[in-house]
Amino acid sequence: MTYSTDILEKIKYYASIYIRISDIAIMLELQAEILRSDIADASHPASKAYRKGKIGAKVKLHEQEMALAKIGSPLALENTRNNLLDMEDDE
């Protein structure tokens, strides 16, 4: 399916606040199965928008966690350590 720039921006925004695909479809008056299929196709613009939104929010969370780790939060230290291990596993 072809989506307008406005719809792609909304998909990106909703993904950035962790809204489920089925709920995004409702908000945008789309069929959930089609949206889900488009998002599953890594080359589709809807997939790129969705992943950018989701990853952008993840980056912000990691930044906040790193800041807390730097001031000594035990949970943040453990989480950033796990993030580093995940990163190294992906290399």
Side-chain angles (χ1 to χ4, degrees):
M1 181 172 186
T2 302
Y3 301 95
S4 69
T5 302
D6 181 53
I7 294 294
L8 292 172
E9 283 299 315
K10 288 178 181 176
I11 290 169
K12 181 178 174 182
Y13 171 72
Y14 290 137
S16 78
I17 58 173
Y18 303 139
I19 302 299
R20 297 177 340 163
I21 293 172
S22 57
D23 292 337
I24 294 172
I26 291 169
M27 292 298 297
L28 301 178
E29 298 181 354
L30 303 169
Q31 291 182 9
E33 300 79 22
I34 294 172
L35 180 59
R36 189 172 284 106
S37 174
D38 291 341
I39 288 171
D41 175 1
S43 67
H44 196 285
S47 178
K48 292 176 183 178
Y50 181 83
R51 287 183 289 131
K52 282 183 181 181
K54 185 176 174 182
I55 293 167
K58 188 176 182 180
V59 166
K60 289 177 185 177
L61 289 173
H62 280 233
E63 288 172 344
Q64 291 174 350
E65 204 142 49
M66 184 63 77
L68 290 172
K70 287 179 180 178
I71 60 173
S73 165
L75 180 57
L77 285 166
E78 180 64 24
N79 289 341
T80 54
R81 178 183 172 282
N82 291 335
N83 292 340
L84 175 59
L85 292 174
D86 287 345
M87 183 181 181
E88 290 174 344
D89 284 344
D90 193 46
E91 291 174 352

